[in-house]
């Protein structure tokens, strides 16, 4: 578990589950198991994404980082996922 981003509006935590068998490893650097927890601090909602959606999120963040984004730019990108957040934050 690693905190990747924490602003006034959002927090993003990456969860990695190591694979024990080398035959299940994908390309280096790809998210094979695990995912991202995204928390909207104002709406007090969260989502856990994994698989193809997590890979898409990761690629979008990497593309955004190449452009030297501001906090507002990053928050705007994460805001795209807020409509998927249905789980209320009970304790964080």
């Amino acid at each position: 578990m690693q905190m990747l981003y924490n602003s006034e509006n959002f927090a993003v935590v990456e969860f990695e589950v190591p694979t024990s068998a080398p035959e299940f490893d994908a390309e280096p650097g790809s998210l094979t198991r695990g995912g991202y927890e995204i928390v909207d601090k104002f709406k007090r909602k969260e989502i856990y994404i994994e698989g193809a959606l997590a890979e898409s999120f990761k690629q979008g963040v990497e593309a955004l980082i190449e452009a030297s984004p501001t906090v507002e730019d990053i928050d705007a990108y994460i805001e795209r996922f807020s409509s998927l957040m249905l789980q209320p934050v009970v304790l964080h």
Side-chain angles (χ1 to χ4, degrees):
M1 180 170 85
Q2 179 180 351
M3 175 72 76
L4 298 180
Y5 182 71
N6 191 17
S7 72
E8 290 182 14
N9 302 312
F10 298 99
V12 179
V13 177
E14 178 181 26
F15 290 88
E16 286 189 38
V17 179
T19 55
S20 57
E23 65 269 14
F24 294 116
D25 288 342
E27 330 173 348
S30 69
L31 184 66
T32 55
R33 296 199 55 203
Y36 300 96
E37 179 184 38
I38 305 170
V39 176
D40 185 325
K41 294 178 180 179
F42 287 113
K43 292 181 182 176
R44 298 187 49 81
K45 301 267 184 171
E46 67 178 333
I47 187 172
Y48 180 79
I49 58 174
E50 60 186 353
L53 185 56
E55 194 62 38
S56 174
F57 177 79
K58 177 182 172 183
Q59 290 171 359
V61 169
E62 288 172 350
L64 188 62
I65 289 172
E66 289 178 8
S68 300
T70 63
V71 170
E72 290 80 16
D73 295 334
I74 297 170
D75 280 358
Y77 177 75
I78 295 171
E79 178 79 32
R80 297 179 192 176
F81 295 85
S82 66
S83 64
L84 302 173
M85 297 180 194
L86 302 175
Q87 183 68 34
V89 176
V90 178
L91 179 64
H92 243 278

